[in-house]
């Protein structure tokens, strides 16, 4: 894995580009009760080109891709250092690459202090949220209390219901989260990431 810091205008923001993924040297072996390096599912997704920002006034940690035997997973290990409540607006932006151009499939704002993402009216957001609950140790709804937030080996296999909603191909997913402590407050960026992924047919 190559981690390359980028300069930003704010000392509170850390930007990281991840160009390679965890392999046999996966440091998760240090916490065997929480993590493991082997990816056992029959994955039909390949992740790459991950970039992310964490507001260090709220949290610290890592978001990463790992691969083993050509199977890919998306993970995060983040420590939240203060309680987040009020309103948290997440903005997922999903684009599909068609004939060399990206076409938007999803671009919405969702207040996770009012609506559980697994109940979103958007079927793609709702399905991704439901799939993610298999891999996380926290609630998707706020408030978010201080503590360790884990996304463990998120991947997609041939049985994933998401594959019924979006076709095989290449995609770009961007997600931003902004915190509004009060309705009139200036929003504060909590975190953001972008990642490319490809869906493909499972090998027989």
């Amino acid at each position: 894995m190559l981690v390359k810091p980028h300069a930003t205008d704010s000392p509170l923001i850390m930007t990281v580009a991840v160009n390679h993924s965890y392999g046999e040297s996966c440091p998760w072996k240090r916490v065997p009760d929480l993590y493991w390096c082997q990816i056992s599912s029959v994955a039909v997704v390949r992740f790459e080109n991950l970039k992310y920002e964490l507001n260090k006034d709220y949290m610290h940690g890592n978001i990463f891709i790992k691969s083993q035997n050509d199977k890919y997973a998306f993970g995060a290990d983040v420590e939240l250092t203060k309680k987040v409540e009020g309103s948290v607006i997440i903005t997922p932006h999903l684009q599909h690459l068609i004939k060399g151009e990206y076409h938007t499939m999803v671009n919405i704002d969702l207040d996770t202090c009012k609506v559980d993402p697994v109940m979103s009216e958007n079927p793609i957001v709702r399905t991704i949220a439901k799939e993610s609950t298999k891999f996380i140790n926290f609630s998707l709804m706020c408030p978010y209390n201080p503590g360790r937030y884990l996304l463990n080996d998120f991947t997609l296999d041939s049985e994933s219901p998401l594959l019924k909603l979006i076709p095989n191909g290449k995609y770009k997913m961007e997600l931003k989260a902004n915190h509004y402590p009060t309705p009139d407050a200036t929003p504060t960026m909590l975190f953001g990431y972008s990642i490319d992924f490809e869906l493909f047919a499972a090998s027989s």
Side-chain angles (χ1 to χ4, degrees):
M1 184 190 76
L2 173 65
V3 178
K4 182 172 64 174
H6 293 264
T8 66
D9 295 331
S10 170
L12 300 178
I13 305 299
M14 177 179 68
T15 305
V16 178
V18 181
N19 297 319
H20 298 285
S21 54
Y22 285 120
E24 294 297 330
S25 61
C26 172
W28 297 0
K29 292 177 181 177
R30 301 173 188 168
V31 196
D33 57 324
L34 293 175
Y35 296 132
W36 54 93
C37 282
Q38 183 177 2
I39 306 171
S40 58
S41 59
V42 181
V44 293
V45 62
R46 180 180 297 110
F47 296 109
E48 61 182 359
N49 299 328
L50 169 65
K51 297 180 181 180
Y52 68 93
E53 295 181 340
L54 302 178
N55 186 331
K56 292 195 290 184
D57 195 38
Y58 283 79
M59 66 189 71
H60 58 84
N62 295 288
I63 304 175
F64 41 80
I65 299 168
K66 71 172 183 174
S67 67
Q68 187 177 44
N69 300 326
D70 204 32
K71 297 177 181 179
Y72 288 73
F74 180 41
D77 185 350
V78 174
E79 187 80 19
L80 185 65
T81 56
K82 62 173 64 175
K83 187 173 183 176
V84 177
E85 56 187 344
S87 288
V88 176
I89 307 297
I90 62 168
T91 305
H93 185 200
L94 177 65
Q95 301 176 85
H96 186 196
L97 184 63
I98 303 175
K99 296 182 179 179
E101 295 185 358
Y102 279 103
H103 298 264
T104 295
M105 298 184 70
V106 176
N107 188 16
I108 66 171
D109 291 330
L110 180 66
D111 187 346
T112 62
C113 297
K114 295 180 179 179
V115 178
D116 190 331
V118 301
M119 302 298 291
S120 172
E121 294 182 356
N122 184 284
I124 294 177
V125 172
R126 183 172 64 247
T127 302
I128 292 175
K130 288 181 178 179
E131 286 286 282
S132 72
T133 60
K134 303 174 184 177
F135 303 92
I136 59 177
N137 72 333
F138 57 91
S139 169
L140 294 175
M141 284 197 74
C142 88
Y144 304 109
N145 294 310
R148 194 177 184 187
Y149 287 70
L150 306 172
L151 173 64
N152 187 20
D153 287 5
F154 178 86
T155 191
L156 298 172
D157 60 32
S158 57
E159 302 300 319
S160 171
L162 185 62
L163 302 184
K164 298 178 181 179
L165 299 176
I166 60 178
N168 290 343
K170 295 184 177 182
Y171 295 84
K172 180 182 292 292
M173 178 69 177
E174 299 174 331
L175 188 143
K176 297 178 181 179
N178 289 291
H179 180 214
Y180 295 77
T182 64
D184 298 327
T186 300
T188 300
M189 192 278 289
L190 295 176
F191 69 88
Y193 71 81
S194 68
I195 189 169
D196 296 341
F197 66 94
E198 181 179 4
L199 297 177
F200 51 89
S203 300
S204 57

